[in-house]
Amino acid sequence: NSNRAAIGHLQRQLYGRRYPVLLVGTDGSTVRLRYPEPKRILMMPLDSNTLPEAERKARLRRHFPSKPKAKEEETFQGIDLDTYKKFWKK
């Protein structure tokens, strides 16, 4: 039924036609091609083995940032409670 497709998307794995997609290579070159899924841009994965050592380490640092440092917990031992006595209710 055509009304079913107008209300929601069809529950299917394969699309019946091919869609125009822009393929971006690792060197920045672009190619227009037909792709079975409706997407705007496809990017080719970069081979990290061909990169210089410094650039490869920089990319790895961006992808896997260091863990945040643990903060010290606040303790209430150094607080003078008499300064806040006016806020307490009896």
Side-chain angles (χ1 to χ4, degrees), residues 1-72:
N1 189 332
S2 65
N3 294 333
R4 180 174 168 242
I7 294 172
H9 68 281
L10 294 177
Q11 300 291 329
R12 61 182 172 195
Q13 296 294 324
L14 297 174
Y15 292 91
R17 59 178 287 230
R18 298 205 174 247
Y19 299 89
V21 173
L22 185 69
L23 177 69
V24 180
T26 56
D27 58 347
S29 61
T30 59
V31 178
R32 289 213 172 263
L33 54 92
R34 310 291 285 177
Y35 196 69
E37 295 180 18
K39 295 185 177 189
R40 289 189 186 271
I41 295 177
L42 283 176
M43 295 184 71
M44 297 295 290
L46 183 66
D47 186 15
S48 61
N49 296 331
T50 60
L51 293 175
E53 187 68 24
E55 189 174 342
R56 187 176 65 80
K57 285 186 179 181
R59 288 180 70 86
L60 284 174
R61 275 196 304 268
R62 272 186 269 141
H63 283 288
F64 304 106
S66 61
K67 294 180 181 176
K69 296 178 182 175
K71 296 180 181 178
E72 287 187 24

